[in-house]
Amino acid sequence: MKKKVLRELFSVAAFLISLAYLYRSINFNELSIALKEANYEYLFLAILLSFLTLFFAATRWYLVLRRVQKTSFKRTIQAFVSGYYLMAILPPTVGHIVKVKLVGGDYFAALSSLAFGMAMEIVIILSFGFIFLGFTKLGLIGIALILLAFLYDKVFHKTALAFFRFWENLGAKKISEKLRDWWSRGYAGWSIARKNKSGFLLVFSISLVVIFIQILGLMLVGKAFSLEISFKQALYAFLMSVIFASLSGIPSGIGANEFGILVGIGSSTKAALTAFLYKFIFQYMYSIAGAFVFYRLLGGHHEDSTG
């Protein structure tokens, strides 16, 4: 209970600090001028890129998921869009966990398929972030870890099973058996997904494309307000946004996302406007759409998961 309270207090503090920083970055007279002089063609292009990001990210999950269990692309994309809403009303991690339930089938198999793609994207983000920021060795180590996890995942699996047996021998039989069952079901999905080498490379490639599109989207939104953002700056801002939002525990990462972006591109009225609109186009507007999809799924107005 204490940990939960401390976590909630930390999230509230992170949210307030982020809002205060954003407020200090904005001159409302400049904000009005920036909106009037904006080139909305760049914003339209950014919206198109956000649709592509959604499509590719959902497709990546579907490509892995269909190797684990029967499912439909429609059901997968419904669950994926619902996830944006769930992350707006729940902590981000919990939102991801809940949306997996919406695709149906074996929960842990579906969870492992989502984790397969997301883990790859996270390591890629950190790896290339280190490379572009000058920490090339750390970046290459990260990429190597992806390959090691792919080639030697059985070692990690056996280590986990040994850990569960250790706790079972200490007397925690019921909980260790339950954890071992959950782990084994999840690993079964993971191992099926990674057996196909061409599929692994495809998921890796899609993850790269998803990251690149989001970075390009930030550059385009900045350009709409005559703010020139280099690829290196955009990559750093994207990385900081992901890290700050994840650490803050704030639903949807509101405030922390924008704070991270400003750390990457600098603090100004146009930068703050760019940060908010970028996150709205690539995330927040899908939270609104996700609410409709989520409650439609709850109401039963959807096809069978194997449809």
Side-chain angles (χ1 to χ4, degrees), residues 231-281:
F231 183 85
K232 185 176 180 180
Q233 280 181 308
L235 174 61
Y236 182 54
F238 177 72
L239 179 62
M240 290 297 101
S241 175
V242 171
I243 292 175
F244 283 22
S246 300
L247 293 177
S248 71
I250 302 170
S252 282
I254 295 176
N257 279 316
E258 290 79 2
F259 181 53
I261 291 173
L262 292 187
V263 169
I265 65 176
S267 177
S268 69
T269 299
K270 288 184 176 181
L273 182 59
T274 295
F276 175 76
L277 283 179
Y278 166 71
K279 291 306 302 183
F280 179 82
I281 290 171

Side-chain angles (χ1 to χ4, degrees), residues 73-145:
F73 181 72
K74 181 180 179 181
R75 183 62 176 268
T76 306
I77 202 166
Q78 285 176 330
F80 193 85
V81 174
S82 297
Y84 285 96
Y85 167 67
L86 291 169
M87 287 186 288
I89 62 174
L90 300 168
T93 303
V94 179
H96 284 303
I97 291 173
V98 174
K99 78 178 181 183
V100 173
K101 194 74 176 175
L102 299 175
V103 298
D106 186 285
Y107 176 79
F108 290 96
L111 180 62
S112 65
S113 67
L114 177 67
F116 186 85
M118 289 186 63
M120 189 177 297
E121 182 173 330
I122 290 170
V123 177
I124 290 173
I125 290 172
L126 293 175
S127 300
F128 282 88
F130 283 133
I131 291 173
F132 277 97
L133 294 174
F135 301 97
T136 305
K137 290 183 179 179
L138 287 175
L140 293 175
I141 289 173
I143 295 173
L145 285 175

